[in-house]
Amino acid sequence: MPTYQVYFTEQAAAARDRLDDQQRAAFDKGVALLARDPFPKLSRPISATGDDRTIRLTQNILVEYTVTMGRLLIFIVEVFNDKDIFVTDEV
């Protein structure tokens, strides 16, 4: 099975580059898995064609990407942490 070439937009690369060492290792592992199969069951289409997709690579990292002609372009890297929660379960 061929591996897709992986590319990043500037915005996605900047977010990737801000990851700490542990997050980056998990991120790189997830991207490597996507490069082998960009359509895993856990990914969801975000376009009518299904080529634009989203997946949570880790508990705290979500990516949006597109697949075309042997290439995987990651255009969004979103990193979540507990500080980002607007409404907590605590009342």
Side-chain angles (χ1 to χ4, degrees):
M1 180 176 204
T3 300
Y4 287 74
Q5 294 179 353
V6 179
Y7 297 91
F8 295 86
T9 62
E10 282 186 38
Q11 177 186 4
R16 174 202 62 200
D17 294 345
R18 287 190 300 270
L19 297 173
D20 65 31
D21 291 343
Q22 184 177 358
Q23 289 173 319
R24 181 61 188 262
F27 176 85
D28 288 345
K29 181 178 179 180
V31 169
L33 291 170
L34 278 180
R36 285 185 280 191
D37 176 15
F39 301 98
K41 284 183 181 183
L42 291 176
S43 70
R44 294 186 321 270
I46 54 174
S47 68
T49 63
D51 294 337
D52 295 335
R53 306 190 68 80
T54 186
I55 191 169
R56 286 184 66 173
L57 290 182
T58 70
Q59 181 177 358
N60 298 325
I61 302 173
L62 176 137
V63 297
E64 292 183 10
Y65 59 98
T66 191
V67 182
T68 183
M69 298 173 49
R71 295 185 177 121
L72 188 149
L73 172 65
I74 297 175
F75 55 88
I76 299 287
V77 174
E78 188 71 42
V79 181
F80 303 98
N81 65 48
D82 291 340
K83 296 175 188 171
D84 295 338
I85 297 172
F86 183 58
V87 178
T88 64
D89 293 336
E90 299 171 10
V91 183

